[in-house]
Amino acid sequence: MSKNMKALIAGVMIAIVSLLVAGCFQSGSKEREYQFAEDAKDGEYVRPTRVPGQSEDQKEPSYFTIQVNAGPTVSRGDNRCNLMIGNPTENEQYVKVKLILDDTGEELFCSDILKPGERNAYVDLEQVPEAGEHTATAVFMVYDPENMEQITEIEASVLLTVE
């Protein structure tokens, strides 16, 4: 077999594997259900927020941008996790973030108040689950900066990997 033929076969195999890998990541993505901001970066999306108790016809939806790592990791021997939570500067409200394990409801982390423009790349989990993949929910509690009353909550699914 000639070198050109071997190179062609290798190229076709690499292309097929690349398409299969890309298809797996897209079909498993939970982010498809969210509306992305025009200038979105990895892990950033917007969702409509409403004041609890208001019906849809009482108020036009407003938007609040959140930042979170959809696939954070933590080592079993350490509690430092790359959750990468943030409150982008375009938001006007404050936010507090909790990470809750879906299967037990256990709270793994709760942040301090984040003002617009503040973020935490790494957080210390209160407890680290057993090794493996765990579905969790990042709950963004949005607060009015004037009276510090909670306005709403926004939830984002994350897949926590414990190594």
Side-chain angles (χ1 to χ4, degrees):
M1 190 180 292
S2 72
K3 286 184 180 179
N4 288 341
M5 184 59 102
K6 286 181 183 178
L8 179 63
I9 292 172
V12 169
M13 291 180 73
I14 289 171
I16 291 171
V17 169
S18 297
L19 290 172
L20 289 173
V21 169
C24 288
F25 282 117
Q26 286 181 350
S27 65
S29 174
K30 294 181 181 180
E31 293 182 344
R32 288 181 291 161
E33 61 192 88
Y34 300 114
Q35 176 183 357
F36 282 84
E38 291 294 322
D39 58 349
K41 296 173 182 59
D42 289 346
E44 179 182 334
Y45 54 87
V46 295
R47 293 193 48 186
T49 59
R50 298 194 189 284
V51 175
Q54 280 188 324
S55 68
E56 289 190 26
D57 58 348
Q58 287 177 310
K59 182 181 178 187
E60 291 293 318
S62 61
Y63 292 91
F64 186 86
T65 304
I66 64 173
Q67 293 175 326
V68 64
N69 182 357
T73 59
V74 63
S75 174
R76 182 72 182 122
D78 191 11
N79 63 343
R80 191 168 167 89
C81 177
N82 62 339
L83 193 55
M84 304 204 181
I85 55 174
N87 186 1
T89 56
E90 62 266 20
N91 293 333
E92 295 177 5
Q93 297 84 11
Y94 293 175
V95 70
K96 194 175 194 178
V97 184
K98 288 184 185 180
L99 183 64
I100 300 172
L101 206 53
D102 287 351
D103 60 349
T104 64
E106 179 181 10
E107 184 178 302
L108 301 178
F109 169 77
C110 185
S111 75
D112 293 328
I113 292 286
L114 297 174
K115 297 176 182 176
E118 294 182 335
R119 55 186 47 96
N120 289 338
Y122 289 89
V123 301
D124 292 326
L125 301 182
E126 294 174 21
Q127 299 183 64
V128 178
E130 294 298 318
E133 292 184 338
H134 303 272
T135 56
T137 302
V139 180
F140 287 75
M141 298 163 289
V142 182
Y143 292 89
D144 183 330
E146 291 180 19
N147 58 20
M148 293 308 292
E149 288 185 20
Q150 185 174 339
I151 299 169
T152 191
E153 289 184 354
I154 301 169
E155 295 182 353
S157 294
V158 298
L159 184 61
L160 176 65
T161 301
V162 180
E163 301 173 334

